[in-house]
Amino acid sequence: MKKKLSFVLNDRKITLEIAAQEVLLEVLRDKLGVKSPKCGCDRGDCGTCTVLMNGKTVRSCIVLAVEADGQRLTTLEGLMKDGQMTPLQQSFLEHNSFQCGFCAPGVILAATELLERNPKPSGDEIKEAISGNLCRCTGYLPIVEAIANVNNALTPPGRERLGKKVRS
Amino acid sequence: MPILSEFEYFKPSSVREAVRLLSKHKKPAVLAGGTDLINNLKEEIDQPDAVIDIKGIKELSGITYKNGVLTIGAAVTFSELLDSRVIQSRFPVIAEVAKTVGSVGIRNRATMAGNICSAVACADSGPLLAAYEALILVRGSKGKRKVLAAKWFKGNKRTDIKKAELVTAIEIPLPARRHAGCYVKLGRYSGEDLAQASVLILALPGKQYRVALGAVSPVPVRASKIERLLNGQHLSDELIAKCQALIPGLISPITDIRATKEYRSHMCQVMFARGIRAAASRFSGNGPEYGVNLI
Ligand code: FES
Ligand code: FES
């Protein structure tokens, strides 16, 4: 039986009809063409399918699409504004944090959630926050360094996208 | 991997409605955080005819503290437990346990009620609720009942829940005017969900202790024998060694891909020694901060 649902995806209202058993990750990728969430383990272990639901990271491979009804979703695609990266993304770029990049969307969203709650995290807090995001290339060091050295003086379009006021 | 079997999805807004849906269907499944359920649906371990999402039920979503009893609603996530003021101030060991559950993306969805309904032997909430002598609140079409944690767990993935019943909350009584605790968990790496062995200690006034062991038996083990040995005594190295020697007799660990039974049993003893010292020193106000990893 099909269910009608609507949610906000990267500031765009989406309405679609799906079956109750459809998984959010597959709906995002295959039905909506949003390709930043990746399928790594498909069972909640690796974090590559991470999306933000109401500003909090969830693993879209273990969320039913119907659960998104009425919620606000943000994927990596929704962080940039007018082609401008968030300060966090710029830091990842400057630190050359990724190699293959498969883990990157999940890591960036996990770090975005962390910085929302805690703009100046310690090294341990950073490691804890991304501990559920597996990276098979980098050994994590350039990722942790990038998160620790975000230039907060830059305008953070990412924060606006999460519906919070920009702190000046 | 898509979910192949079809089911109906419901999101009731009251417990009554949820219970009605549970009794109406042949094979209903309750969905809270889904971190276990969705995997089970994919693997066809569960093939429900109805999935009942309880996240729309307001009365299941709160953490309250009244008259010395902490009540955790069934839809409360581990992230919410970690952020709760009353838990941080009065039950910091609950936050210590919550912090070891998976990683942020799991904790944002997974619930303690779901954890004890899945009831895998390595569930982090098991030893916690056993040591606190918590009550599981259950609602069915015939009314409510409360089940003591010790009676809740019946075996690996088996609980006392009956057909068409819903866990609505968990009640954790404050065990004393002042208490401290410690949770030590052995995992492969942080961010991985599953304990290979875990030890939960509560330190109460008058040198009273409660000890519970997890992941080393099909159900959490309350180590009353050890408690009797410890209670009222000064915590000496000899006493701790005596308690450690009792551990292998209390547990029945298994060998699987994650650890051998010998390793689990050995580590359980090491973790007990560290945990009891940490709990005791936390009780006297100078122990390691909650949340630090002791192994
Ligand atoms: S693909 Fe979802 S956590 Fe790995
Ligand atoms: S950069 Fe390749 S997995 Fe992280």
Side-chain angles (χ1 to χ4, degrees):
Chain A
M1 204 181 62
K2 292 265 180 191
K3 270 233 174 253
K4 195 170 165 188
L5 74 155
S6 58
F7 52 87
V8 175
L9 173 66
N10 298 331
D11 284 349
R12 214 157 43 98
K13 184 148 182 211
I14 307 272
T15 306
L16 74 170
E17 266 193 22
I18 52 147
Q21 73 270 19
E22 290 189 58
V23 175
L24 180 60
L25 174 63
E26 285 157 20
V27 169
L28 286 172
R29 288 184 60 87
D30 303 340
K31 298 224 155 128
L32 298 171
V34 176
K35 301 287 188 183
S36 76
K38 310 263 184 280
C39 184
C41 66
D42 207 21
R43 44 167 304 120
D45 289 332
C46 74
T48 60
C49 64
T50 298
V51 303
L52 295 171
M53 192 185 268
N54 305 322
K56 291 185 167 168
T57 52
V58 300
R59 278 131 202 256
S60 62
C61 71
I62 47 171
V63 176
L64 295 177
V66 280
E67 293 181 77
D69 190 33
Q71 316 297 319
R72 192 164 42 84
L73 299 183
T74 309
T75 65
L76 185 66
E77 288 85 347
L79 286 188
M80 305 235 298
K81 201 178 187 183
D82 306 326
Q84 198 198 342
M85 286 186 286
T86 66
L88 171 71
Q89 286 175 298
Q90 298 195 18
S91 187
F92 279 129
L93 185 66
E94 279 156 25
H95 288 83
N96 196 15
S97 296
F98 301 109
Q99 287 182 30
C100 78
F102 199 81
C103 68
V107 172
I108 293 169
L109 292 176
T112 300
E113 183 190 19
L114 169 71
L115 296 178
E116 277 286 325
R117 292 170 53 102
N118 180 358
K120 282 251 158 279
S122 69
D124 279 350
E125 286 167 335
I126 293 172
K127 285 182 193 162
E128 160 64 27
I130 59 163
S131 66
N133 293 83
L134 302 187
C135 174
R136 298 290 81 160
C137 301
T138 67
Y140 302 101
L141 214 61
I143 294 176
V144 172
E145 276 167 9
I147 300 170
N149 292 294
V150 174
N151 183 353
N152 281 311
L154 298 171
T155 31
R159 291 198 190 151
E160 286 173 334
R161 305 299 275 196
L162 297 179
K164 293 216 175 143
K165 285 230 175 68
V166 182
R167 275 167 295 242
S168 55
Chain B
M1 193 202 303
I3 297 169
L4 294 176
S5 51
E6 290 182 19
F7 50 80
E8 270 191 275
Y9 170 87
F10 299 93
K11 194 172 181 184
S13 55
S14 71
V15 171
R16 250 185 72 190
E17 175 69 3
V19 169
R20 196 186 62 78
L21 286 165
L22 281 171
S23 32
K24 214 183 100 185
H25 289 92
K26 265 213 196 79
K27 273 170 61 187
V30 175
L31 168 63
T35 50
D36 287 326
L37 180 66
I38 310 299
N39 282 329
N40 290 349
L41 295 175
K42 286 183 179 177
E43 287 166 24
E44 304 196 329
I45 296 166
D46 283 332
Q47 287 182 294
D49 54 352
V51 166
I52 297 155
D53 186 347
I54 61 166
K55 289 190 290 292
I57 306 175
K58 272 225 173 65
E59 56 190 297
L60 302 186
S61 67
I63 303 171
T64 56
Y65 179 72
K66 227 170 81 190
N67 301 330
V69 178
L70 180 77
T71 306
I72 299 171
V76 171
T77 65
F78 282 104
S79 289
E80 287 165 342
L81 294 179
L82 260 173
D83 288 344
S84 152
R85 284 275 171 78
V86 59
I87 287 179
Q88 285 164 10
S89 62
R90 290 183 191 269
F91 299 87
V93 73
I94 298 181
E96 185 164 71
V97 170
K99 199 180 164 207
T100 71
V101 176
S103 52
V104 183
I106 294 291
R107 294 197 290 265
N108 282 343
R109 296 256 303 165
T111 63
M112 185 177 272
N115 196 220
I116 62 162
C117 286
S118 299
V120 289
C122 60
D124 292 295
S125 312
L128 176 83
L129 299 184
Y132 270 111
E133 297 173 356
L135 290 165
I136 322 300
L137 274 56
V138 180
R139 192 92 61 92
S141 49
K142 291 196 198 76
K144 307 174 182 184
R145 62 190 185 103
K146 293 188 181 189
V147 187
L148 199 61
K151 300 235 164 91
W152 175 257
F153 298 99
K154 297 279 184 207
N156 186 29
K157 301 185 187 167
R158 283 195 300 120
T159 70
D160 190 48
I161 197 131
K162 308 275 181 329
K163 168 124 194 22
E165 279 187 332
L166 179 73
V167 171
T168 56
I170 298 165
E171 278 185 5
I172 302 182
L174 194 70
R177 214 168 31 77
R178 207 164 76 76
H179 79 291
C182 185
Y183 183 59
V184 194
K185 170 176 174 175
L186 178 68
R188 268 191 311 175
Y189 57 90
S190 80
E192 195 222 19
D193 211 352
L194 307 171
Q196 294 164 8
S198 65
V199 176
L200 194 126
I201 316 261
L202 295 182
L204 310 177
K207 298 198 173 80
Q208 304 290 307
Y209 295 95
R210 293 189 194 167
V211 180
L213 311 171
V216 285
S217 165
V219 298
V221 176
R222 177 81 184 267
S224 322
K225 257 192 182 167
I226 294 182
E227 293 175 8
R228 280 197 293 276
L229 209 58
L230 285 168
N231 283 343
Q233 305 298 317
H234 166 70
L235 210 58
S236 65
D237 289 352
E238 296 75 57
L239 182 61
I240 290 176
K242 261 194 211 158
C243 295
Q244 283 178 304
L246 288 177
I247 289 177
L250 299 173
I251 61 179
S252 48
I254 56 163
T255 295
D256 65 8
I257 49 163
R258 286 180 294 125
T260 63
K261 56 181 192 288
E262 291 80 9
Y263 180 62
R264 288 173 201 257
S265 174
H266 174 77
M267 285 308 288
C268 211
Q269 298 171 53
V270 174
M271 291 152 65
F272 166 77
R274 294 191 191 174
I276 192 100
R277 287 202 181 95
S281 53
R282 280 173 181 170
F283 184 79
S284 40
N286 52 11
E289 221 181 290
Y290 281 93
V292 299
N293 198 356
L294 295 176
I295 46 165

